[in-house]
Amino acid sequence: MSSTQVGRLALPNGRSLSRMAYGVWRLSETQDCTVNANLARIDACLAQGITTFDHADIYGNYSCEDLFGQAIKARPSLKDQIEIVTKTDIMLLSDKWPDTRVKHYDTSPAHVTASVDRSLSRIGVDVIDLLLIHRPDPLMDARALGTCLDNLIDSGKLRGVGVSNFMPWDTDLLQSCMKHRLQTNQIELSLLSTTPFTNGQLAHAQQHRMPVMAWSPLGGGRLLAQAHTPGTAAARLAPKLAELALAAGTDTTAVAMAWLMHHPAQILPVMGSNQPQRIARFGDATHVLMDRQTWYELYELANGHEVP
Ligand SMILES: NC(=O)c1ccc[n+]([C@@H]2O[C@H](COP(=O)([O-])OP(=O)(O)OC[C@H]3O[C@@H](n4cnc5c(N)ncnc54)[C@H](OP(=O)(O)O)[C@@H]3O)[C@@H](O)[C@H]2O)c1
């Protein structure tokens, strides 16, 4: 067991997630996606106390839940050690859905209920810890969806429900039609995506005591990949991130995660690397001390200007 333990974040329903999560979006793109390789990735997370795994029905053209489920079937004891987050409502143009002729969102009770059943079966668990509505659906019938989600919790298929990419008004609308509380909003948030600090998403989550899950916390890798690309935020940030990483005895990824985790909105980074040596260091973020002025130095480099 690694000495790094990332800790937990309490949800409004009294349950908890690990302080960081591992996202499986890119799992099917990895070179080594055997059951043993995926078990090794899961073990590397567990060694750091990372027990929360972020899925969506659509990941890997509807294949990633299955891939992860094969690992769980190989080691059923994992079910008691992890939390499963998954999402629904995006309908991709896919060979798996031959009747879909346009990419769209579907928050109808029929689709959401069937999607939950498919996710349970693919992952091979009896209950999903958190189901997120993946994107706001302009055709969302909030009363119908809210009742459906409440029923799915009451039936024991879901432990909790949240949203993703929702603006405060979308969240309020859905919440107003539910008896159970929404648990989180999962949004794009990183040094390369700072809009939520000022557009109300983080303020709203704090007001409602909902932790925020940050997707693409490294900007999908651009924070590292563009470090030498002139004119990019990544290039502006790179020297300062490197200096802070050196001082903390870690790498720039850890500093960038510590920057997110320092914020009082209880931001939970959903990490996307599938390389075992990178996964094994996710928890280094908890070793990095971040003070107010350092936070602002990085914020201003990210935005390309001083705060007013
Ligand atoms: N709710 C939503 O709408 C939504 C949308 C997108 C994603 N998500 C969730 O968020 C998770 C994370 O998203 P993400 O994968 O974009 O996260 P990310 O952590 O920002 O980016 C991961 C990517 O960065 C690369 N990377 C990591 N460290 C690197 C380094 N030191 N140098 C160069 N490249 C590096 C990884 O490649 P390697 O694998 O080679 O390390 C991987 O391709 C997803 O898995 C998914 O669960 C949710």
Side-chain angles (χ1 to χ4, degrees):
M1 178 73 68
S2 154
S3 58
T4 298
Q5 291 294 302
V6 301
R8 311 284 300 172
L9 267 188
L11 293 171
N13 64 3
R15 298 184 179 274
S16 65
L17 303 178
S18 52
R19 192 67 186 75
M20 307 175 88
Y22 169 46
V24 303
W25 176 29
R26 302 176 192 273
L27 193 61
S28 63
E29 298 164 20
T30 57
Q31 284 186 336
D32 187 356
C33 208
T34 59
V35 168
N36 282 343
N38 291 335
L39 282 170
R41 292 183 177 105
I42 295 168
D43 283 336
C45 288
L46 295 182
Q48 301 165 85
I50 297 172
T51 56
T52 301
F53 294 85
D54 185 71
H55 297 257
D57 55 345
I58 57 169
Y59 288 167
N61 188 24
Y62 301 91
S63 71
C64 287
E65 287 184 332
D66 260 330
L67 287 170
F68 194 89
Q70 286 163 23
I72 293 196
K73 282 175 193 115
R75 202 196 297 156
S77 60
L78 280 174
K79 288 188 217 179
D80 300 325
Q81 299 174 267
I82 65 177
E83 300 86 41
I84 296 289
V85 181
T86 192
K87 314 185 192 78
T88 185
D89 94 342
I90 300 180
M91 291 295 296
L92 297 178
L93 289 172
S94 161
D95 55 335
K96 310 275 171 56
W97 290 91
D99 292 339
T100 300
R101 61 179 193 281
V102 59
K103 184 180 179 187
H104 64 281
Y105 306 140
D106 190 346
T107 50
S108 66
H111 176 73
V112 169
T113 304
S115 179
V116 165
D117 287 338
R118 279 190 296 271
S119 291
L120 286 167
S121 156
R122 286 177 184 148
I123 303 171
V125 289
D126 301 323
V127 57
I128 289 164
D129 293 276
L130 207 46
L131 178 78
L132 309 183
I133 303 301
H134 206 153
R135 294 254 169 202
D137 169 14
L139 290 180
M140 177 174 85
D141 178 337
R143 285 183 188 81
L145 177 61
T147 303
C148 164
L149 294 171
D150 277 339
N151 289 341
L152 284 165
I153 294 174
D154 292 341
S155 72
K157 290 183 179 178
L158 305 179
R159 292 200 168 102
V161 166
V163 293
S164 178
N165 304 299
F166 271 42
M167 293 303 290
W169 47 88
D170 303 313
T171 313
D172 284 345
L173 173 60
L174 182 57
Q175 184 65 85
S176 73
C177 298
M178 290 183 66
K179 69 175 183 192
H180 291 288
R181 278 185 66 185
L182 293 171
Q183 304 296 314
T184 188
N185 188 9
Q186 185 177 124
I187 55 177
E188 183 177 15
L189 185 59
S190 71
L191 279 162
L192 300 188
S193 182
T194 60
T195 309
F197 290 108
T198 52
N199 74 353
Q201 284 176 308
L202 288 182
H204 184 265
Q206 287 183 86
Q207 182 187 349
H208 294 279
R209 309 281 192 274
M210 295 190 309
V212 170
M213 300 179 79
W215 62 260
S216 291
L218 296 171
R222 286 178 297 122
L223 191 64
L224 295 309
Q226 294 182 346
H228 303 291
T229 307
T232 62
R236 284 196 302 276
L237 284 156
K240 189 70 195 174
L241 288 172
E243 176 198 318
L244 294 169
L246 189 65
T250 182
D251 58 20
T252 57
T253 297
V255 178
M257 294 311 101
W259 183 80
L260 287 174
M261 294 162 79
H262 179 76
H263 192 276
Q266 302 197 93
I267 296 168
L268 186 162
V270 185
M271 308 298 294
S273 175
N274 279 299
Q275 292 204 25
Q277 74 276 16
R278 289 183 180 150
I279 293 173
R281 297 195 63 182
F282 283 169
D284 283 9
T286 55
H287 303 317
V288 181
L289 293 177
M290 183 68 49
D291 61 30
R292 179 175 290 266
Q293 292 199 53
T294 307
W295 193 92
Y296 269 96
E297 277 179 291
L298 293 171
Y299 185 57
E300 292 180 3
L301 286 166
N303 292 336
H305 55 79
E306 223 179 43
V307 291

